[in-house]
Amino acid sequence: MRLLTHNFLKCNEENCTGGYPLQIKLDDTSSENVKILEQDFNKEFVKNVLSKVDYDVLYNTAKQFGISLLFSYTSQHLEDEGFLNSIHHALFKIHIMEGSLICPQCHVSFPIKDGIPNMLKGN
Amino acid sequence: MTFSSVFKINFDFIYNDEEVKKNVYLPSSDTFTFIDALENEVDNIPSDVNMVLEMGTGSGYLTLSLYELLKRKNKNVDIFYCVDINKSACNCVKNVLRKNNILNVEIINNDLFNNIRKCEQFDLIMFNPPYVPTEQDEMDTTNIVASYAGGKYGREIILNFLLNVYGYLNKYGVIYILLEKNNKPHEIMNHTHITEKFLCLLLKKKKTLNETIFIYKLKKKVS
């Protein structure tokens, strides 16, 4: 599961408002709970996706994985390949393989197994 | 002697794995009809598509067929999203991707759009839905039954999808959806909830022994 996906996921349990962002908890018993995988850089795609994601959530989540993004950006940064590359890395190259997503509001836990999050109720 | 190698997906896993054969909807005539329609549409698909979503991916046959189609035309998709309520289907997709060394796909074990934020993030959304009319007791499953059980007029899941999809599609995005005659497709596509938001085009109609399949293309009505 990429951080792009994490950015789009929220808690949808009944009566849970404020279930975003979900907290990522890695499975410490797993030998490879996070993977870094290469992905082709497409400048236009990164710029487009930036307009869709919640940047604050991305900033905070990337920090959890040792990536220090710019705290905020301007339209000038959108032409800076260094900046776009850091976004590309954070959104697409970090893969959460084993862990869980925890709702900060109702504390429900959604497991991530082999990179696939299970968002079903009562899983 | 020269060889030209055409890009080809290896779908063997779908047909050889016991768990898949038992628990996942295998490609069938509705799947192939959908692919025919996409083949005819491929020139309308931009050469650079950012994000594609397949709702109800099942075995992954449709997404990977689109992947193959686009690759052969030198068109690029940055990332595919595959969503399915059936965990066995999600695992099947994962395995078929691995066997084909395809990495730019995200899989989510999820019930339609629940838990996904509306960010107008997708350029192309496809759905070959459960379309068989069934009783209520076949609804609310997460196994292979979910691949066909459509409830009343076989369209409960279809309607849920259509009433929610708008906020997930970007301004010039496109939806491809399959409907069957029992769903009363004309009634659905002429309903104000649809006509006020979307332009609808019937791409293909195919009659088989037991079914008549309709493939529709929807675009947002932009002022």
Side-chain angles (χ1 to χ4, degrees), chain A residues 28-89:
Chain A
D28 292 325
T29 67
S30 161
S31 56
E32 208 178 19
N33 51 25
V34 181
K35 279 204 262 210
I36 309 289
L37 297 172
E38 282 308 312
Q39 176 153 333
D40 288 344
F41 174 71
N42 178 349
K43 183 174 169 182
E44 288 312 307
F45 178 37
V46 178
K47 283 162 73 172
N48 289 338
V49 161
L50 258 179
S51 65
K52 313 281 180 185
V53 298
D54 182 317
Y55 189 77
D56 290 338
V57 168
L58 178 63
Y59 172 83
N60 286 316
T61 313
K63 215 194 296 186
Q64 186 186 346
F65 294 93
I67 311 291
S68 199
L69 297 175
L70 279 183
F71 182 72
S72 67
Y73 65 93
T74 65
S75 53
Q76 279 195 311
H77 290 110
L78 294 178
E79 299 311 316
D80 178 341
E81 283 222 1
F83 170 70
L84 294 176
N85 251 303
S86 70
I87 301 299
H88 171 86
H89 183 101

Side-chain angles (χ1 to χ4, degrees), chain B residues 78-137:
Chain B
D78 291 288
I79 199 154
F80 285 86
Y81 271 79
C82 293
V83 175
D84 205 291
I85 198 170
N86 179 348
K87 189 182 266 182
S88 301
C90 293
N91 285 329
C92 178
V93 176
K94 178 187 74 187
N95 284 308
V96 182
L97 292 172
R98 283 196 180 144
K99 302 240 183 259
N100 286 278
N101 269 315
I102 292 171
L103 298 173
N104 60 331
V105 181
E106 285 284 287
I107 304 169
I108 311 176
N109 187 191
N110 195 46
D111 183 0
L112 291 178
F113 290 114
N114 286 349
N115 302 298
I116 305 176
R117 296 193 308 123
K118 291 184 178 180
C119 302
E120 299 193 341
Q121 61 267 63
F122 297 107
D123 303 293
L124 200 161
I125 299 178
M126 2 186 234
F127 193 18
N128 180 1
Y131 58 72
V132 178
T134 58
E135 298 297 326
Q136 277 310 299
D137 63 3

Side-chain angles (χ1 to χ4, degrees), chain A residues 12-26:
Chain A
N12 208 46
E13 296 302 295
E14 264 141 50
N15 306 315
C16 181
T17 49
Y20 179 77
L22 300 170
Q23 290 158 352
I24 301 176
K25 183 160 173 272
L26 295 177

Side-chain angles (χ1 to χ4, degrees), chain B residues 7-184:
Chain B
F7 180 81
K8 202 165 160 37
I9 298 279
N10 180 345
F11 288 110
D12 289 352
F13 184 85
I14 297 173
Y15 297 108
N16 296 330
D17 186 78
E18 289 309 314
E19 213 217 304
V20 173
K21 287 193 277 186
K22 208 170 46 147
N23 297 311
V24 182
Y25 185 78
L26 296 176
S28 181
S29 58
D30 54 313
T31 323
F32 303 127
T33 304
F34 208 132
I35 293 167
D36 279 344
L38 290 178
E39 272 169 4
N40 295 331
E41 266 295 289
V42 79
D43 289 337
N44 292 327
I45 296 173
S47 54
D48 221 318
V49 179
N50 292 157
M51 287 178 48
V52 172
L53 166 69
E54 183 180 5
M55 190 55 80
T57 310
S59 64
Y61 196 91
L62 184 59
T63 282
L64 285 165
S65 295
L66 177 64
Y67 187 103
E68 194 180 67
L69 263 173
L70 294 176
K71 195 99 182 174
R72 289 180 183 177
K73 294 262 178 171
N74 282 317
K75 296 192 188 218
N76 175 59
V77 173
D78 291 288
I79 199 154
F80 285 86
Y81 271 79
C82 293
V83 175
D84 205 291
I85 198 170
N86 179 348
K87 189 182 266 182
S88 301
C90 293
N91 285 329
C92 178
V93 176
K94 178 187 74 187
N95 284 308
V96 182
L97 292 172
R98 283 196 180 144
K99 302 240 183 259
N100 286 278
N101 269 315
I102 292 171
L103 298 173
N104 60 331
V105 181
E106 285 284 287
I107 304 169
I108 311 176
N109 187 191
N110 195 46
D111 183 0
L112 291 178
F113 290 114
N114 286 349
N115 302 298
I116 305 176
R117 296 193 308 123
K118 291 184 178 180
C119 302
E120 299 193 341
Q121 61 267 63
F122 297 107
D123 303 293
L124 200 161
I125 299 178
M126 2 186 234
F127 193 18
N128 180 1
Y131 58 72
V132 178
T134 58
E135 298 297 326
Q136 277 310 299
D137 63 3
E138 283 196 277
M139 304 301 285
D140 294 324
T141 73
T142 62
N143 55 36
I144 195 173
V145 174
S147 70
Y148 66 79
K152 192 164 181 202
Y153 297 117
R155 67 188 190 186
E156 285 179 36
I157 307 294
I158 291 166
L159 292 176
N160 185 328
F161 171 86
L162 287 172
L163 293 173
N164 277 296
V165 70
Y166 192 86
Y168 296 95
L169 191 66
N170 76 35
K171 195 172 176 191
Y172 299 109
V174 161
I175 298 167
Y176 295 108
I177 183 167
L178 182 150
L179 301 180
E180 199 276 325
K181 186 149 147 257
N182 282 314
N183 310 141
K184 301 179 192 248

